[in-house]
Amino acid sequence: MVRINTLPMRLLALDYGADIVYTEELIDHRLIRCYRKVNDTLESVDFIDKSDATVVFRTCSREKHNVVLQIGTSDPERAAKAAQVVEQDVAGIDINMGCPKDFSLKGGMGAALLFHPDKACAILSAVVSAVKIPVTCKIRVLQDIDDTVALCKKLAATGVAAICVHGRTINERPMHSNRNHFIKAISEALDIPVIANGGSKEIKEFEDIIKFKNITGCSSVMIARTAEKNCSIFKRDGKLELFTIIRDYLRHAVDYDNVAPNTKYCIQNMLQNIQETEQGRLFLESTSLQQICDLWELGDYCRQKQKKMNYLRFEERDVVCNDQKRIKLNSADEEESNYGNSLKCMYIRSLYPRPEDLPKTKLLNWAKKHNKPLPKYHTEQFEKLFKSTVTFDDQKYSSSFWEKNKRWAEQGSAIVCLHYLKVYDMDYMKMNGILG
């Protein structure tokens, strides 16, 4: 599921007994725009968006033979190219033909393909021909059972290795009953494996997975919402206590440098009503991975890991500027050297957990304390990159490192200014991996 099935959650599911894990839906355009990087620091393989250095997909050897990457697409050629980008690092490719969200439907992706079977088949055929690994698709059922079976037969003829069926229509939601008899009819009609999906309301314990499999007559079962709330549903010997699951998840999140907003979102889905407790409220106020880890007694573990990873972040984001080799970037760097108050440094949000720690806030307070004019920021944008210059006490300060958004760029220029004001020393900046 989107925002849930990132690497830490996939690894947690494998730890607890899942046989196969799917990625969140990744759009073909973004995958095509990625370059592949072997990440020695994390012992991972990263697919990084060339335009803004965002890690679109991160995987590792632990899941290589178990992970299926799901693509959102509406075009055979793009789908094939996207699949080829990741082919060597995943066990299979899945084409999403079941997502009912407006974003997918308006783009002709997801469940929209159910109503354009020729295009759906063209996409599957293109991907099957383009890669040497198994290709599957995930669908929702149509209103009529016979129409659904006929569609599945057509899709199966493209050469896909399996079809996953969610037993609800495009307009139905979890409160509606799953049409298990539809899935059973499909399973009986096809010669390839059929994966049953949509049974989360019925699955409370591991034994319920087996019951769902038997009711639908399928070869296997896919679980989403139930696993999202308690990933230990895959354990044959019974579910674990929630806080144990969260700690297990956080270790993976720290080990693979998962971003704080995504980590927080996944834990929120686990906590549910427990968010009303004191610990839950402190969790909701957290803004960094370190703060989250502190609540589950993993703060020291997180801090040790993140010092090493800060250098990695700098390297990854710096690649974007270097690869683009833009004249504008080069001329801007030359201009900075003319006034000298420039450093190549990066803003890392996790280093400033409290609002008063933020470089811009610290610089503002320094100005007030010393009766200086307030700092003024000027930010320029080039494509998806930003660089800011702060004017303070008749001097200009800027980082030659281009950031991914305006806020970060302004914080970066404030860091440079604070260095020249001797608030931040060089050792502090090097130690935290923010200086290039």
Side-chain angles (χ1 to χ4, degrees):
M1 298 179 72
V2 174
R3 298 180 66 190
I4 293 290
N5 285 15
T6 47
L7 181 57
M9 187 64 78
R10 299 196 303 267
L11 292 177
L12 190 66
L14 291 174
D15 289 346
Y16 290 158
D19 298 307
I20 299 172
V21 288
Y22 279 57
T23 69
E24 59 182 336
E25 179 187 27
L26 300 172
I27 306 304
D28 54 11
H29 287 290
R30 293 204 75 195
L31 286 169
I32 293 168
R33 215 163 50 217
C34 287
Y35 69 91
R36 180 182 185 272
K37 175 182 171 62
V38 176
N39 187 328
D40 294 327
T41 303
L42 301 183
E43 297 183 351
S44 66
V45 175
D46 300 342
F47 291 85
I48 302 171
D49 191 323
K50 296 174 185 175
S51 68
D52 62 5
T54 300
V55 178
V56 175
F57 172 53
R58 173 166 286 160
T59 186
C60 65
S61 59
R62 165 77 172 88
E63 69 167 4
K64 181 173 182 178
H65 300 293
N66 308 88
V67 63
V68 176
L69 185 138
Q70 187 177 80
I71 297 176
T73 185
S74 62
D75 180 80
E77 184 178 353
R78 286 201 311 269
K81 286 182 180 178
Q84 288 173 330
V85 170
V86 297
E87 177 182 5
Q88 66 177 304
D89 297 294
V90 298
I93 297 292
D94 182 75
I95 302 301
N96 186 339
M97 299 183 178
C99 181
K101 302 294 184 182
D102 284 345
F103 169 78
S104 287
L105 299 180
K106 289 177 181 177
M109 302 181 293
L113 291 171
L114 299 177
F115 306 101
H116 300 280
D118 289 341
K119 179 186 282 189
C121 288
I123 290 171
L124 293 177
S125 296
V127 178
V128 168
S129 299
V131 299
K132 297 178 181 178
I133 55 176
V135 177
T136 65
C137 64
K138 182 175 183 291
I139 71 165
R140 281 180 171 247
V141 298
L142 304 176
Q143 284 288 349
D144 182 79
I145 190 169
D146 292 332
D147 290 343
T148 308
V149 170
L151 173 64
C152 289
K153 286 182 177 180
K154 194 169 184 177
L155 297 175
T158 63
V160 291
I163 294 178
C164 177
V165 183
H166 183 114
R168 294 182 180 86
T169 68
I170 188 173
N171 296 316
E172 292 175 334
R173 295 297 177 264
M175 72 281 294
H176 297 103
S177 297
N178 205 52
R179 304 187 187 207
N180 293 339
H181 60 296
F182 276 49
I183 304 177
K184 185 175 179 62
I186 295 165
S187 179
E188 292 172 347
L190 299 188
D191 295 326
I192 61 172
V194 175
I195 306 166
N197 181 233
S200 279
K201 278 176 37 176
E202 307 159 30
I203 297 173
K204 307 299 179 186
E205 305 291 341
F206 180 84
E207 291 75 17
D208 297 328
I209 300 175
I210 306 303
K211 291 178 185 176
F212 184 53
K213 179 176 179 292
N214 292 336
I215 289 170
T216 57
C218 286
S219 59
S220 55
V221 171
M222 176 186 286
I223 307 171
R225 293 183 185 276
T226 295
E228 170 187 321
K229 296 171 184 174
N230 190 324
C231 200
S232 66
I233 188 70
F234 297 110
K235 287 180 64 65
R236 293 176 178 269
D237 55 354
K239 293 187 293 187
L240 298 175
E241 189 265 340
L242 181 59
F243 281 18
T244 298
I245 297 167
I246 292 175
R247 284 173 60 85
D248 288 348
Y249 168 77
L250 278 172
R251 285 191 182 90
H252 285 311
V254 170
D255 288 347
Y256 289 98
D257 197 26
N258 203 50
V259 295
N262 180 258
T263 301
K264 189 172 181 178
Y265 178 78
C266 290
I267 295 176
Q268 278 182 286
N269 281 278
M270 298 181 205
L271 286 174
Q272 298 182 76
N273 293 336
I274 302 176
Q275 294 179 62
E276 301 303 319
T277 65
E278 182 178 353
Q279 186 172 16
R281 287 192 293 272
L282 290 172
F283 165 72
L284 291 176
E285 293 171 2
S286 64
T287 58
S288 70
L289 191 56
Q290 288 179 3
Q291 289 176 325
I292 297 170
C293 286
D294 281 333
L295 293 171
W296 276 276
E297 301 176 352
L298 289 171
D300 289 342
Y301 180 75
C302 180
R303 276 180 278 275
Q304 290 170 4
K305 288 276 188 176
Q306 288 213 321
K307 277 187 181 180
K308 186 177 181 182
M309 292 174 187
N310 286 343
Y311 294 98
L312 170 69
R313 293 189 188 96
F314 197 108
E315 178 187 340
E316 284 177 348
R317 284 159 57 182
D318 198 29
V319 164
V320 175
C321 293
N322 290 335
D323 282 356
Q324 287 184 357
K325 296 178 180 178
R326 305 294 192 189
I327 295 175
K328 184 176 177 68
L329 300 188
N330 294 333
S331 63
D333 290 342
E334 288 176 7
E335 183 181 334
E336 288 162 7
S337 65
N338 292 334
Y339 55 77
N341 297 329
S342 176
L343 292 171
K344 191 175 185 179
C345 66
M346 179 178 68
Y347 170 66
I348 299 173
R349 178 66 181 90
S350 62
L351 296 178
Y352 314 99
R354 300 177 304 171
E356 59 267 31
D357 295 331
L358 292 170
K360 283 183 65 177
T361 305
K362 194 175 283 288
L363 178 57
L364 180 65
N365 291 335
W366 195 96
K368 292 177 179 178
K369 180 179 178 180
H370 294 84
N371 297 315
K372 297 289 186 179
L374 299 184
K376 296 182 179 179
Y377 295 87
H378 171 73
T379 303
E380 56 182 305
Q381 177 179 357
F382 185 67
E383 294 189 353
K384 292 186 177 182
L385 300 173
F386 298 81
K387 185 170 68 63
S388 181
T389 300
V390 59
T391 302
F392 180 70
D393 200 18
D394 296 326
Q395 293 288 317
K396 292 183 177 181
Y397 304 88
S398 181
S399 169
S400 59
F401 189 89
W402 288 68
E403 295 280 7
K404 292 194 292 184
N405 62 56
K406 182 175 181 287
R407 296 189 307 277
W408 289 9
E410 291 177 348
Q411 298 286 5
S413 63
I415 291 172
V416 176
C417 184
L418 289 166
H419 164 70
Y420 280 99
L421 294 174
K422 302 188 184 305
V423 177
Y424 294 151
D425 62 25
M426 197 67 76
D427 289 340
Y428 163 84
M429 298 169 78
K430 288 180 178 178
M431 179 182 70
N432 287 290
I434 64 175
L435 187 67

